[in-house]
Amino acid sequence: MRIRNSLVAALLLLLPQIAIAEAPAPGNLPEATDDLSPQKILNSQNLSSYKEIVPLELQALFRNGQLEIEAASGLKVVPSYGEQWAKASGASASAALSGQSLRPGTKLGEGFVFGDAASLAAADDSKVLAQKILWNIYSVWAAEHVFGSQFEFHWFKDAAKPFRTLRGEFDRIYPLALPDSKQLTQLFRELIRFTAPAFLNDLAWLTFRFVGSDEDILWVYSPAVQKLRQLTAANRSDPILRSAVSPEDFLVWSGKPELADARAEPPATMLAPFLRAEAPAVSSDKTCVFIDRAAAVSNRTTVRWNFESSRYLHGAGWVPSTSILIPRSMWRIELVSQDPFSLYGRQILYVDTELMLPIYKVVYNRSGQLWKTVIGSYGLAGVQGSSAKSPYPAYTVVIDHLKNEAFVIDFSRITMCAEPTPPLTLADFDPKRFTDVSKRVQQAATPTPAVQVPAEEPDER
């Protein structure tokens, strides 16, 4: 009996070791090679071996077969903003935080305004930590004072290929970061404008974001009626064109930190999508940098999505074929907007601790239902000959769980400037711009009567 008990005890001690030896370690991923070489594919079959490093909120996408993507232990070139940015971000600027807002005169875009991850590790209060992380996100985007982009907007429903593709522009300017700017209370001005198809040309959303208690100002210009309407700040969470995408989703998270009741959890290692290799950047001078992802992706191919490449036989068409998952340290932040009219209820953000960029956002509606999952990926580019790099959005994927639809914002051409340059100046982000557009349309109209076919909002459901 004693011998049997000893054997049983020994076996019980060995079982965990046997299980550990048989189960692949979560970090057991191959090293990244060039962008065409196959990597380890994560899918529904092997998710259980890697679920410790896959955000819980994303695991359902793997299980139901929508998400199938390659993973590696890291990139050949470690993502970084450069030594100058790291030096400027070394110390925390705790004095810059006044409640949930920035103190007047706080400068953004010169390093993380509240310090790097090591500096933030000293924060004891999870709510204060969350606020500092959210403001650090804006300090990253403000580093390039002027941002312009062209994008393709793909719509998916059931089929592997998009049933609709629109085109537009997404532009931002940061008056708070501009030298000698008189708009010291404006954090940013943002313009989302569609350019194709023709009947949507100039359909636009213009936002003024202010620092402090002042509400956002949002305008919508409709080319159908040639009028500009002013809406409320809460309308930034409203879907555009009956999709699941709102202006708040273009850069994954663009909420107002002063209205966010947020708490941050300690960082953990999770898989995040990154471009396999950077698209080539061209700088005309020391002011602006241009990236043309439409002309070259990773210097090899223009095929960026699974519906074009069929790289993943069982994955959805919206899976990016030019990205791989790599382990990254990320904060998990839970936040609720204090705006009672916002359509967004609880949100969950995963923010990269080194880059201070939001990678994932999970949105629940006001009824507590899981509404959508937002996935973002970024590239890094800089002026030739300089080690300083600035991030740019490569794509944003939005999955609507309520309607079983998916949307891709594919940023194809990027312009980043340190100073305003036409057509990206403060005047180009002025509501009067659309009054001028209406005048031009009226002047171009012919007096000859013609049968007018009403332009329907693009909806095939």
Side-chain angles (χ1 to χ4, degrees):
M1 178 65 74
R2 290 181 180 178
I3 295 175
R4 181 194 299 178
N5 291 341
S6 299
L7 289 173
V8 171
L11 182 60
L12 290 175
L13 289 172
L14 287 173
L15 281 176
Q17 299 178 17
I18 295 173
I20 291 173
E22 291 179 351
N28 187 20
L29 294 170
E31 294 183 2
T33 56
D34 62 82
D35 61 316
L36 296 180
S37 298
Q39 305 289 326
K40 177 71 176 181
I41 295 180
L42 266 63
N43 52 32
S44 59
Q45 302 298 317
N46 59 11
L47 175 64
S48 59
S49 299
Y50 297 93
K51 64 181 181 180
E52 292 182 14
I53 53 176
V54 175
L56 179 63
E57 295 80 7
L58 264 71
Q59 293 183 16
L61 293 175
F62 281 97
R63 291 195 184 97
N64 62 28
Q66 291 189 68
L67 189 52
E68 179 176 301
I69 190 170
E70 291 170 302
S73 59
L75 298 174
K76 283 187 174 182
V77 179
V78 178
S80 170
Y81 298 144
E83 295 181 4
Q84 185 176 352
W85 183 272
K87 184 177 180 180
S89 303
S92 175
S94 301
L97 191 63
S98 176
Q100 292 183 226
S101 185
L102 294 179
R103 291 191 182 278
T106 301
K107 195 73 171 177
L108 294 178
E110 300 174 355
F112 299 127
V113 65
F114 289 108
D116 56 16
S119 301
L120 294 180
D124 296 328
D125 192 319
S126 62
K127 297 185 69 174
V128 173
L129 173 59
Q131 285 296 322
K132 290 182 177 181
I133 295 170
L134 298 181
W135 280 114
N136 271 356
I137 293 174
Y138 278 115
S139 68
V140 173
W141 290 127
E144 292 299 330
H145 304 162
V146 183
F147 174 86
S149 67
Q150 298 178 24
F151 65 83
E152 294 179 342
F153 189 22
H154 300 300
W155 299 44
F156 295 82
K157 185 175 179 63
D158 299 327
K161 295 184 177 181
F163 67 88
R164 178 185 299 125
T165 295
L166 312 178
R167 290 175 176 80
E169 299 174 353
F170 175 83
D171 307 318
R172 266 193 189 179
I173 192 168
Y174 291 85
L176 190 65
L178 293 176
D180 304 324
S181 174
K182 297 180 181 179
Q183 305 292 341
L184 295 179
T185 62
Q186 284 189 3
L187 177 58
F188 65 73
R189 296 184 183 187
E190 177 186 276
L191 178 62
I192 300 170
R193 186 177 75 91
F194 284 94
T195 57
F199 68 87
L200 287 181
N201 188 35
D202 281 329
L203 176 63
W205 287 256
L206 175 64
T207 300
F208 283 13
R209 167 67 55 81
F210 298 93
V211 176
S213 59
D214 292 342
E215 290 187 357
D216 294 349
I217 301 179
L218 174 66
W219 293 272
V220 174
Y221 176 76
S222 171
V225 296
Q226 300 171 27
K227 288 185 178 180
L228 185 71
R229 289 192 305 155
Q230 183 173 337
L231 306 180
T232 66
N235 291 115
R236 271 187 62 86
S237 65
D238 292 353
I240 60 178
L241 294 174
R242 298 184 183 179
S243 69
V245 181
S246 78
E248 296 284 82
D249 301 330
F250 271 67
L251 296 179
V252 181
W253 179 83
S254 293
K256 188 173 174 65
E258 292 93 340
L259 294 179
D261 183 7
R263 290 174 173 80
E265 298 178 3
T269 299
M270 295 289 168
L271 292 175
F274 277 80
L275 300 180
R276 295 169 179 268
E278 298 292 345
V282 178
S283 56
S284 59
D285 50 37
K286 293 185 178 180
T287 301
C288 295
V289 174
F290 305 95
I291 301 102
D292 192 347
R293 298 185 66 239
V297 175
S298 301
N299 258 341
R300 297 192 176 214
T301 175
T302 57
V303 177
R304 300 191 292 272
W305 300 98
N306 196 40
F307 74 84
E308 300 169 311
S309 66
S310 299
R311 191 176 184 93
Y312 306 109
L313 297 179
H314 305 292
W318 51 260
V319 175
S321 57
T322 58
S323 296
I324 56 174
L325 298 179
I326 62 172
R328 299 288 293 180
S329 172
M330 288 194 279
W331 284 294
R332 184 180 185 274
I333 301 175
E334 291 198 25
L335 64 88
V336 177
S337 174
Q338 296 176 354
D339 186 343
F341 300 104
S342 172
L343 295 183
Y344 288 5
R346 185 168 66 105
Q347 300 176 59
I348 298 174
L349 292 181
Y350 285 86
V351 181
D352 189 290
T353 61
E354 294 183 25
L355 299 179
M356 300 283 179
L357 291 174
I359 306 297
Y360 305 114
K361 180 176 72 174
V362 181
V363 181
Y364 296 83
N365 61 21
R366 286 292 180 178
S367 300
Q369 294 176 294
L370 174 61
W371 179 8
K372 56 187 176 183
T373 298
V374 184
I375 303 171
S377 185
Y378 312 92
L380 296 174
V383 177
Q384 187 174 4
S386 173
S387 62
K389 303 290 183 180
S390 295
Y392 62 87
Y395 59 80
T396 302
V397 178
V398 180
I399 299 105
D400 185 342
H401 299 284
L402 296 179
K403 296 184 178 180
N404 193 29
E405 296 179 341
F407 308 87
V408 168
I409 305 169
D410 188 5
F411 297 93
S412 54
R413 293 179 174 87
I414 311 294
T415 301
M416 298 185 292
C417 300
E419 299 176 3
T421 303
L424 295 172
T425 66
L426 282 174
D428 296 305
F429 294 80
D430 194 299
K432 295 180 181 179
R433 162 183 178 167
F434 297 100
T435 304
D436 296 336
V437 168
S438 298
K439 290 180 180 179
R440 289 198 302 270
V441 172
Q442 292 172 1
Q443 291 172 359
T446 59
T448 305
V451 178
Q452 299 293 325
V453 179
E456 295 183 1
E457 197 168 324
D459 184 17
E460 297 180 359
R461 289 167 291 172

